[in-house]
Amino acid sequence: MSETESPSAEKVASAMMAPLSESSVARISVRTAVILLVFTMAFTALMAGVYQLTQPILEKSALDAKRRTITEVLPPDTYDNDLLADAATLPPVKALGRDAPTTIYRARKDGKPVALVFEAAALDGYSGRIDLILAVSADGRMVAQRVTLHKETPGLGDYIDPKKDKNKQQPWIKQFDNLGFDTVLGGKWRVKKDGGIIDQRAGATISARAVTNASGRAVLWIHDHSARLFDLPNGSQWKETSP
Amino acid sequence: MSQLRNIAANGLWNQNAVLGQMLGLCSLLAISTSVVNAVSLGLATIFVMGMSSLIVSSLRAFIPYEIRIPIFILIIAALVTVVDMAMNAWLRDLYLVLGIFIPLIVVNCIVLARVEAFAAKNPAGLSAFDGVMMGVGFVWVIGLLGAVRELIGQGTLFSGIEMIIPSASAIQILPADYPGFLVAILPPGAFFVLGLMVAGRNWLDYRANQRIHAQRAQQSAAAVAG
Amino acid sequence: MINNSPYFRQPASVRGVMLKVLAALLPGLAAYVWFFGAAILVQLALCSAAALAGEWAMLAIRKKPVWLFLSDGSAVVTAWLVALTFPPIAPWWLGIMATLFAIVVVKHLYGGLGQNPFNPAMAAYCLMIVAYPQIMSQWPAVGFTDFSTQLTAIFGPDRHLDAITMATPLDALRTQLHTADARATVAGILGSHATFGNIGGKGWEWVALGYLIGGVWLVRQRIITWHIPTAFLATLAAIATIASLANPAVFAGPVFQAFTGGAMLCAFFIATDPVSGATTPRGKLIFAAGIALLTWIIRTFGAYPDGIAFATLLMNLCVPLIDMHTQPPVFGHKKDEEEDKKGP
């Protein structure tokens, strides 16, 4: 790092007049380093201060966001336990379309099982994977489900997400509310085009079919394992046994 | 006084960061899907620009020329981080919508350009004013872009305002059964509308020039006649 | 040496060329009306009127000789291509908006006849499929030709679409391949479904044949050269053959690809647009092959019904590059390219 690299006109001029001695180069280097260090420390301190100030709020709002998502599929007055704390972890379950471990939250009222809240995925959307969050009651009914992440064609297949659904009064996804596992068994948990009872929108059947079939599979699987899922010790890992 | 007016005119029109210099287009095009998103990002940018210009200008005596760029970036990045954390804490929904584009203010060339070109050479008050004015120039462009795209795209204005003011709600401008025009919301719409805005600015400047020429011609004709 | 498009130098002859292009569309149009009803004629009329109105307004604003350019027929050709690539039962305003976009924005804002870098009809198609994917996917069922019902679909108020729409062959094939049914194969789907005909889509294959006949006539009339249609169809067929040989269960064969969707229309009437396409003979081959390749990719892996519009626009973007690298040697220099002798 020689001084002459600096394009500053006056410094270049002074360097030309009298070459800097080695000791003054060293002095300038140290001075520059110290200034940079001071600036870095000052602004790092500023960031650290703001971090300290906002961190508790951040943790709270992350929890809030999770709670809000869950509230969309399961009304909070239906249970009285601390849902987020009453959780167990499942290994990747094929029937749920998951390739990563799934956290399953157990809602209870007066200690009795009410519903299970968990994530599932449809892998055969028009543009790939569609992530879902579902609440399934202890007696095998869908309480509600929402799409949490998808890449369906804007304006065509994205009506599966009620935020994008043009029909605000009767969003498509609400058709599943209160459907029981027996609908799956009876072969009616399908889009109308496939002989079921779920409406699809003209020109965009694939997204609807993907969500419908994935949630049907999920509801059936959850219902089949409902008792065991509720009995799992808190925070424990579920080991899949042969059915 | 005329200096202030000059700074304001530069920021708002003559050297407008977007329409004049075509800087900061990445976040501009990505975020201008609605007025609320656009103006929110714009306000964050104003804050960062004003503050960074103010700080750089007040500390410019202590910033060695050789390491000015790292220090500028350090200051801008620290301010952006502060904005980022504050929005995450207090305006979380909005923060999730704006996402990566808040941190990206750091690399928005407008900010560094103004700090380097103006704040490093001018007194603190003027510099802060310049930063804010450049930011306001960015805001009105991105806000107008957002308004046009939102209006054409979904027939509303201020959708998403509830993320900032919980009691407010969007204004439906076009009839409720307006089918929407999705392209306006998608990236191509951003390019179309921005292109038309740049064309509009050039057209206005062209007309203003024509007028000045006409006036001069008149004056010289009058001078000859007199 | 720069190959000008033949247009601008002799505006008088443009009219004759355009009339022949319109005439060449008639066989395909006849098949269209036979299988899908007269709704398409309504759309042709709407789009033509919109095109002439838009052209007139823009020429007047730009202070160009209105009647000279208006009567050259190029706007009507654009309007017909818009109408023929849009669903015939689309609401009336869709075709009008699309045609106005094609004429006003894509043609005139980019400099008018002979200057536009993008194919106006295809740009309009892309705009509308992105804006209204649902409407743009509502194609009439083959054989359903009841004109009054179609008129209701076009002009409203109650469109009753479920009864008269049907998936297009390309869509039906993709939808069923997408279904998580492991037994679905191309052969099985094509054999079973009401949408599919002998070699392409039911009805659509005859429309495509009509375009083919009209297109060959255009080549014989020297309105278009053989390069683009041949390169387009040969490339599409080649890719489809390779893919379907590699995995016949998943990829449809060459004949199906060439006789469904807009392939034939693209080969003879869209990719051959002399303004937005490549101008050198070798460039035309590369240009058309590129469209075919992109079309196949978008049809097979994309999310939208057909790929010709996006493929055409993408290749339009490459035209300056293609033209620059395929300029024939200047006269007097060594001639080593056979292609040059066949050039126009």
Side-chain angles (χ1 to χ4, degrees), chain B residues 178-183 186 188 192 196, chain C residues 93 97 101 105 109 127-128 130-132:
Chain B
Y178 175 65
F181 191 64
L182 198 62
V183 177
L186 295 175
F192 278 124
L196 291 175
Chain C
W93 48 265
M97 267 177 65
F101 175 77
V105 178
L109 289 192
L127 178 81
M128 287 308 168
V130 175
Y132 301 107

Side-chain angles (χ1 to χ4, degrees), chain A residues 6 41 101 157 209 221:
Chain A
S6 135
M41 278 168 49
R209 180 186 285 138
W221 188 88

